[in-house]
Amino acid sequence: QECNDKWFTNLTNGLAPKYGHIGYGREKTYKGEGTPIFYNRDTVTLLEGDTKWLSETPEVAGSKLSTAGYLRVFTYGIFKRHSDGFIFMHINTHTDTGATTSKQARMEELRIIQEFSDPYKDLMPKLLPKNIAPAKNSGIFIKRTATPIGKPVNLLIIMATPETPPD
């Protein structure tokens, strides 16, 4: 997360050819800090992946929410594990922290991610690394759970009523 151009180049060069990657920077030029995903080509196949902007227009490079302090993106990948054909979605992001309205921005950013990933909810589990700081009573919860293979992961849960946290 928050991978700058220099680190992206170093990681890409250092991990190739065994590791592939998806994702690019958050600026309109596709440069700058980003949230790439590096994956081991020997263990998974990338089926689909891209970077989206956390804004009202996720497809528009360099766009951001009016409440956000910084441009923010998320990168997603849909992978198929070679060993057993298990298909899963991995989402990498870093939510807003720089604005005085960052609580509101984080909620909006996470809702954008959830809206994007909802069509996949019945098809595969979604994995989201925990670098999210939900505010108290925000309606955003991170629940640690286990995948069908027993590995613990963080699942993003956004509730309509913040007063009722999930079990």
Side-chain angles (χ1 to χ4, degrees):
Q1 297 165 351
E2 295 186 271
C3 181
N4 64 33
D5 294 330
K6 181 178 178 181
W7 274 105
F8 183 77
T9 299
N10 289 343
L11 287 168
T12 301
N13 294 338
L15 295 172
K18 186 174 182 175
Y19 286 80
H21 67 274
I22 50 176
Y24 34 84
R26 65 188 183 189
E27 303 297 328
K28 190 174 186 174
T29 59
Y30 300 97
K31 298 287 185 187
E33 288 183 1
T35 56
I37 299 170
F38 288 83
Y39 59 94
N40 186 330
R41 295 176 188 195
D42 293 340
T43 59
V44 296
T45 297
L46 174 66
L47 302 176
E48 178 184 327
D50 200 3
T51 295
K52 306 283 185 189
W53 278 259
L54 291 170
S55 72
E56 291 88 356
T57 53
E59 303 292 332
V60 177
S63 59
K64 78 177 185 88
L65 291 168
S66 59
T67 55
Y70 299 101
L71 295 173
R72 295 293 184 186
V73 295
F74 73 94
T75 300
Y76 79 95
I78 298 174
F79 298 93
K80 183 175 184 178
R81 191 169 47 206
H82 297 167
S83 63
D84 58 5
F86 181 72
I87 296 175
F88 63 95
M89 176 184 279
H90 179 87
I91 300 170
N92 190 19
T93 194
H94 182 246
T95 56
D96 196 80
T97 58
T100 56
T101 57
S102 62
K103 174 184 170 184
Q104 180 183 353
R106 279 194 304 272
M107 285 185 63
E108 291 177 40
E109 289 166 347
L110 293 173
R111 287 187 202 287
I112 290 165
I113 292 170
Q114 184 168 16
E115 287 173 9
F116 169 81
S117 62
D118 268 353
Y120 299 95
K121 70 181 174 189
D122 295 329
L123 303 174
M124 68 194 78
K126 299 177 285 189
L127 312 178
L128 181 69
K130 188 178 179 185
N131 189 5
I132 298 169
K136 186 176 180 182
N137 297 321
S138 68
I140 300 170
F141 304 93
I142 304 297
K143 181 175 183 178
R144 192 137 173 96
T145 188
T147 66
I149 57 168
K151 301 283 185 178
V153 296
N154 295 305
L155 298 180
L156 172 68
I157 302 168
I158 300 177
M159 306 291 288
T161 56
E163 299 78 28
T164 312
D167 296 330

